[in-house]
Amino acid sequence: MAKGINAMFRYVDAMPTLDLAMPTALFLAVLVALFLSKRVENKLTETVEQKEFKTRDILLLVGFILIMVSVIAYTSIVNPGGIFENAILLFFMGSYTTLLFTFSYIFSNTTKPRVQLVSAGFGVAAIIGGVISLLGPLGDAFTIYRAIAFFVLAGFCFGVVIFEQKKPPTGKGRWYVAAQPPALFLLLFIFFNVIYGGATQVWNPVLLDIFGFTFAILIIMYLSSLFTWKTVGLFAVLLTFMDIFLVFSGPMVTAAETFTGLGLPVLVYLPNIPIVLTEAGKIAFRGLGLGDFFFAGILAVQTFNKFGKKTAVISVVAMALSFGIWEAFLPEITTYFNIGGFPATVCIITGWIPIVVYMWLTTRNKTTPPPPSTTTSATEIVNEPNLSN
């Protein structure tokens, strides 16, 4: 009886851990980026110089990722919290700010009511940030400076509303509108993460996830046009093998922990749904990097370009389902291989490949011309006229 109970408990422990949150988030983020990228493709092409990656560019890109992840992991082990981590922080803050400003500027050439509505929305968000900065649980040594910074931003946003009312339309981009999203991001990131000392956590995970999803969608929209069907296939294969190597050898997990410690929105953290408790009695969370969202996104966009919308949507569903299945067995897999994580590119590409192979075989059979006939039909015989008397 005891042996049977122990066997039953071992069976329960080995049961997969179902999670609906992260596969759903992956599906929605990629789907939104897919359709938005198609809607704004012409707008992006008009504003940003259009280029396409060649095979050499893909090799250089994957090599650069490999070197950067390895360097970040090495410096995090040798000199944790040193100047290199601060350089990483500044680099990513600058990159995110530039990305937000670029997209905002591209779409700032819109109607006056929309500009006023957007500016008023950012003004309200800044006022909320200033007000909650004064609350007791969020108080720290920078409370006054934080509140002043948010209120100044609010004044600027509402000033834009008044300015737009009096300004004649010019049909050009508005830098003062494009500056509002990156300004709000910087204030939130700096005052609620970098130099925040309040008792109540604000940045992680809510704001971290909001900006994580935002940047994931923007990166897919911004970079997916640089790939072609040929280069995306090469990139998918090389990145997957590189991801496997870095995860199993350790640098990828160490680099992810470094980014997490800095509070950078390079990962999305969501609670496991249905709720699962850890051994410490806390709610278990799942994490997925922005690079994995981008990976799934460019596969979906290029599938759209190659096979059309229906196949692209099916591929997004397949990638999300495949990711969910792998994720359910993740604790057993990581325990078996004694690793701190698992390459999400494997989880994604194993859902995408079957759809692409099926479509490739189907379209190949449809486009293959029939073999030439070896027999002569009676209708093809042309009788020569009889010239004899």
Side-chain angles (χ1 to χ4, degrees):
M1 181 67 177
K3 183 183 294 185
I5 293 175
N6 291 335
M8 181 181 69
F9 277 114
R10 284 197 300 271
Y11 173 76
V12 172
D13 289 339
M15 288 288 287
T17 306
L18 177 66
D19 175 40
L20 300 176
M22 193 59 76
T24 303
L26 177 65
F27 170 76
L28 292 177
V30 173
L31 199 65
V32 169
L34 174 65
F35 287 111
L36 284 180
S37 64
K38 290 302 171 183
R39 292 193 62 178
V40 305
E41 191 172 23
N42 294 333
K43 192 81 172 178
L44 285 172
T45 304
E46 293 173 1
T47 309
V48 184
E49 184 179 357
Q50 186 67 19
K51 294 182 180 179
E52 287 184 351
F53 283 143
K54 306 298 182 183
T55 301
R56 180 191 64 181
D57 301 320
I58 296 298
L59 295 175
L60 291 174
L61 177 61
V62 174
F64 175 76
I65 296 172
L66 175 64
I67 293 172
M68 284 299 297
V69 171
S70 301
V71 170
I72 292 171
Y74 176 77
T75 54
S76 300
I77 296 173
V78 175
N79 185 25
I83 189 172
F84 189 76
E85 290 190 6
N86 294 328
I88 294 173
L89 186 66
L90 292 174
F91 172 77
F92 275 92
M93 285 177 62
S95 300
Y96 290 149
T97 302
T98 303
L99 184 64
L100 279 174
F101 181 84
T102 301
F103 265 89
S104 302
Y105 187 80
I106 289 173
F107 300 103
S108 64
N109 181 18
T110 184
T111 61
K112 180 182 297 186
R114 288 183 179 178
V115 170
Q116 292 176 312
L117 181 62
V118 170
S119 298
F122 278 102
V124 171
I127 288 177
I128 294 174
V131 171
I132 65 173
S133 298
L134 300 174
L135 299 179
L138 276 65
D140 59 13
F142 299 96
T143 296
I144 300 300
Y145 304 103
R146 181 167 58 238
I148 292 174
F150 277 107
F151 288 137
V152 168
L153 176 60
F156 175 80
C157 295
F158 287 115
V160 169
V161 175
I162 299 172
F163 175 73
E164 278 292 317
Q165 188 64 32
K166 300 179 180 180
K167 175 179 173 293
T170 60
K172 298 180 180 179
R174 301 167 172 88
W175 67 266
Y176 46 85
V177 177
Q180 296 173 31
L184 182 62
F185 163 70
L186 285 176
L187 291 183
L188 290 170
F189 183 74
I190 293 172
F191 283 111
F192 286 115
N193 178 59
V194 179
I195 59 173
Y196 178 65
T200 303
Q201 183 62 255
V202 178
W203 177 256
N204 189 10
V206 178
L207 293 176
L208 176 69
D209 285 344
I210 290 174
F211 283 106
F213 282 120
T214 300
F215 289 125
I217 293 171
L218 293 183
I219 291 170
I220 294 172
M221 294 169 59
Y222 192 74
L223 296 180
S224 59
S225 62
L226 299 177
F227 291 84
T228 62
W229 182 248
K230 177 184 176 181
T231 54
V232 82
L234 177 63
F235 180 71
V237 172
L238 292 179
L239 188 68
T240 301
F241 279 106
M242 184 206 71
D243 198 18
I244 293 171
F245 170 74
L246 290 177
V247 168
F248 278 83
S249 59
M252 185 65 78
V253 177
T254 305
E257 292 173 350
T258 300
F259 288 127
T260 304
L262 294 174
L264 289 166
V266 295
L267 294 133
V268 171
Y269 279 99
L270 295 175
N272 193 101
I273 298 178
I275 298 298
V276 174
L277 299 180
T278 63
E279 295 180 356
K282 297 181 179 180
I283 296 177
F285 275 73
R286 305 270 190 165
L288 185 63
L290 263 61
D292 300 310
F293 282 95
F294 168 69
F295 181 67
I298 61 169
L299 295 180
V301 171
Q302 293 305 319
T303 303
F304 189 112
N305 296 339
K306 181 71 174 179
F307 299 111
K309 180 172 71 173
K310 181 180 178 181
T311 304
V313 174
I314 293 174
S315 71
V316 176
V317 174
M319 287 187 284
L321 289 175
S322 175
F323 178 84
I325 294 171
W326 279 97
E327 188 189 38
F329 293 93
L330 197 58
E332 289 76 18
I333 296 174
T334 53
T335 301
Y336 179 81
F337 288 104
N338 191 27
I339 52 179
F342 190 77
T345 50
V346 174
C347 309
I348 292 169
I349 202 171
T350 48
W352 178 72
I353 287 179
I355 305 300
V356 172
V357 170
Y358 172 78
M359 288 303 302
W360 179 75
L361 292 175
T362 303
T363 54
R364 182 171 176 269
N365 292 334
K366 288 182 179 179
T367 56
T368 303
S373 176
T374 57
T375 60
T376 304
S377 173
T379 58
E380 297 175 341
I381 300 177
V382 178
N383 294 325
E384 295 293 334
N386 190 356
L387 301 179
S388 60
N389 291 330

Short mmCIF file of all heavy atoms in Angstrom, two decimals, residues 378-384:
data_model
loop_
_atom_site.label_atom_id
_atom_site.label_comp_id
_atom_site.label_asym_id
_atom_site.label_seq_id
_atom_site.Cartn_x
_atom_site.Cartn_y
_atom_site.Cartn_z
N ALA A 378 -5.76 11.98 -81.06
CA ALA A 378 -6.35 11.96 -82.40
C ALA A 378 -6.67 13.36 -82.87
O ALA A 378 -6.63 13.66 -84.07
CB ALA A 378 -7.61 11.10 -82.41
N THR A 379 -6.98 14.24 -81.93
CA THR A 379 -7.32 15.61 -82.33
C THR A 379 -6.11 16.40 -82.75
O THR A 379 -6.24 17.48 -83.32
CB THR A 379 -8.01 16.33 -81.16
OG1 THR A 379 -7.12 16.33 -80.04
CG2 THR A 379 -9.30 15.66 -80.79
N GLU A 380 -4.88 15.90 -82.39
CA GLU A 380 -3.66 16.59 -82.75
C GLU A 380 -3.14 16.19 -84.12
O GLU A 380 -2.15 16.72 -84.60
CB GLU A 380 -2.57 16.34 -81.70
CG GLU A 380 -2.92 16.87 -80.33
CD GLU A 380 -1.90 16.50 -79.29
OE1 GLU A 380 -1.13 15.56 -79.53
OE2 GLU A 380 -1.87 17.17 -78.24
N ILE A 381 -3.76 15.17 -84.78
CA ILE A 381 -3.32 14.70 -86.08
C ILE A 381 -3.91 15.60 -87.16
O ILE A 381 -5.11 15.78 -87.25
CB ILE A 381 -3.73 13.23 -86.31
CG1 ILE A 381 -3.11 12.33 -85.23
CG2 ILE A 381 -3.35 12.77 -87.72
CD1 ILE A 381 -3.53 10.91 -85.35
N VAL A 382 -3.06 16.16 -87.96
CA VAL A 382 -3.51 17.02 -89.03
C VAL A 382 -3.24 16.31 -90.37
O VAL A 382 -2.08 15.95 -90.67
CB VAL A 382 -2.77 18.39 -89.01
CG1 VAL A 382 -3.23 19.25 -90.18
CG2 VAL A 382 -2.98 19.05 -87.70
N ASN A 383 -4.27 16.01 -91.09
CA ASN A 383 -4.11 15.31 -92.37
C ASN A 383 -3.65 16.26 -93.46
O ASN A 383 -4.18 17.38 -93.57
CB ASN A 383 -5.45 14.69 -92.78
CG ASN A 383 -5.85 13.58 -91.81
OD1 ASN A 383 -5.00 12.86 -91.31
ND2 ASN A 383 -7.16 13.44 -91.59
N GLU A 384 -2.66 15.85 -94.17
CA GLU A 384 -2.19 16.64 -95.32
C GLU A 384 -3.23 16.54 -96.42
O GLU A 384 -3.86 15.51 -96.63
CB GLU A 384 -0.86 16.11 -95.81
CG GLU A 384 0.28 16.26 -94.84
CD GLU A 384 0.63 17.72 -94.64
OE1 GLU A 384 0.37 18.53 -95.54
OE2 GLU A 384 1.16 18.04 -93.54
#
